[in-house]
Amino acid sequence: MQGHWVVLALCWLGQLCVAQNLRPQIANPKLATNNPTLTTIALEKPFCMFDDSLSPGSSYMVYLYAMADSASTVSSAVIDNSSKPLNTTFQDTNGGQLGPYRAALFNVPNCASPPMLADVVNLKKVSDVLKQYLFRVGDDVTCLYDPNFPGACNPPLAEDTTYRFKYLLVDVVAGVVKDQTLWSDPMKTSRVKQPSTIDTWPGRRSGGMIVITSVLSTLMFLLVVGFLASIFFFVIRAAGEASTETTHESLTTQQGVPRSQGSSEGVNQ
């Protein structure tokens, strides 16, 4: 209860109230497969988060801040005493390890006309839908090496590292923050798998099982080849013996005919 009165007091004093207690969310896995990656995390853009804070004639932008989760124990402030957003960079904070840095800024998403998720199946519209719906933190691999890079730098994140994110609604004309979300829940980038842990077989067998299976397969192949070879030589040998027996019977028959004729002639005489 005491915390509730503190929030009301801050709002009454003109400080910032959190946008409906909302926070950045990781992107829908149906739209952002393989998320997070080793160096990126795709977030949903803040649709309909800041509508109550918008006023006609004002120029607003959304600022996205990122920090390593370990930095939350150091400092998570993104606004100075004049209600202006901090201009901390990736380099200033050692990639978010020392505190939050401004990763990006973009137009406030149009709550009245959000992207149609059904258009994702349309190859001609899928790219535009994803750009409207998602923002990928860590997607710029060149800004760190370009001294003249304009705007916020959004370099690759560190692998196997937990991050948090926050959206700010900024009046760019007045240069002050009008609203903000809570810090997101922790989101962790992927890590490189060790070669020994990579599953290289559909049956999820270990490396030793793969070697044993390969050896047994080779032995089975040699056994089958030997069996077929023995059958082949047996057939060839049987055919040769049959041919020799036929020739012997033929010669015996031819030699018996003259003796039969001689005996016949002796009887006649």
Side-chain angles (χ1 to χ4, degrees):
M1 188 68 180
Q2 182 179 0
H4 176 70
W5 284 108
V6 170
V7 173
L8 290 178
L10 290 175
C11 291
W12 181 75
L13 291 174
Q15 300 299 320
L16 296 173
C17 295
V18 175
Q20 303 175 10
N21 292 327
L22 299 177
R23 64 187 72 214
Q25 301 292 326
I26 195 166
N28 189 321
K30 293 182 179 179
L31 298 181
T33 57
N34 190 29
N35 180 45
T37 66
L38 292 174
T39 57
T40 67
I41 297 177
L43 303 175
E44 295 180 359
K45 286 186 175 181
F47 280 93
C48 306
M49 284 188 179
F50 302 117
D51 289 56
D52 294 340
S53 303
L54 301 178
S55 59
S58 299
S59 178
Y60 291 97
M61 296 284 289
V62 174
Y63 284 25
L64 170 63
Y65 284 81
M67 70 173 178
D69 190 42
S70 58
S72 61
T73 58
V74 180
S75 174
S76 59
V78 293
I79 305 171
D80 64 16
N81 295 331
S82 302
S83 297
K84 294 183 178 181
L86 298 180
N87 291 322
T88 50
T89 65
F90 185 90
Q91 296 94 323
D92 295 336
T93 62
N94 191 26
Q97 298 294 333
L98 304 178
Y101 66 93
R102 190 174 67 183
L105 58 145
F106 48 83
N107 293 326
V108 180
N110 188 353
C111 182
S113 181
M116 301 296 294
L117 300 185
D119 290 337
V120 173
V121 298
N122 189 330
L123 295 180
K124 296 181 179 180
K125 298 181 179 180
V126 61
S127 179
D128 292 337
V129 170
L130 294 180
K131 288 180 180 178
Q132 293 179 58
Y133 177 73
L134 305 177
F135 183 82
R136 189 173 291 276
V137 187
D139 202 32
D140 195 332
V141 297
T142 61
C143 62
L144 287 179
Y145 310 102
D146 184 359
N148 300 318
F149 183 81
C153 184
N154 180 32
L157 303 174
E159 67 175 71
D160 195 24
T161 303
T162 302
Y163 290 89
R164 292 179 183 267
F165 307 97
K166 177 190 280 284
Y167 286 129
L168 270 63
L169 179 67
V170 180
D171 185 339
V172 294
V173 175
V176 295
V177 178
K178 290 297 184 180
D179 207 347
Q180 63 179 310
T181 67
L182 296 172
W183 282 101
S184 71
D185 294 328
M187 303 179 193
K188 191 173 185 179
T189 54
S190 302
R191 65 177 178 177
V192 176
K193 291 185 177 181
Q194 297 298 324
S196 59
T197 65
I198 297 177
D199 183 8
T200 58
W201 191 265
R204 298 186 179 276
R205 295 179 173 86
S206 64
M209 287 297 296
I210 294 174
V211 173
I212 293 174
T213 303
S214 300
V215 172
L216 291 177
S217 298
T218 303
L219 292 176
M220 181 60 70
F221 173 78
L222 295 176
L223 181 62
V224 171
V225 170
F227 178 74
L228 294 177
S230 63
I231 293 177
F232 175 77
F233 287 118
F234 177 81
V235 171
I236 295 297
R237 181 178 178 181
E241 291 177 353
S243 176
T244 303
E245 182 178 356
T246 302
T247 304
H248 177 72
E249 290 179 356
S250 177
L251 292 176
T252 302
T253 303
Q254 291 178 4
Q255 292 174 1
V257 171
R259 289 196 299 269
S260 176
Q261 291 177 352
S263 301
S264 177
E265 289 177 357
V267 171
N268 292 331
Q269 290 177 357

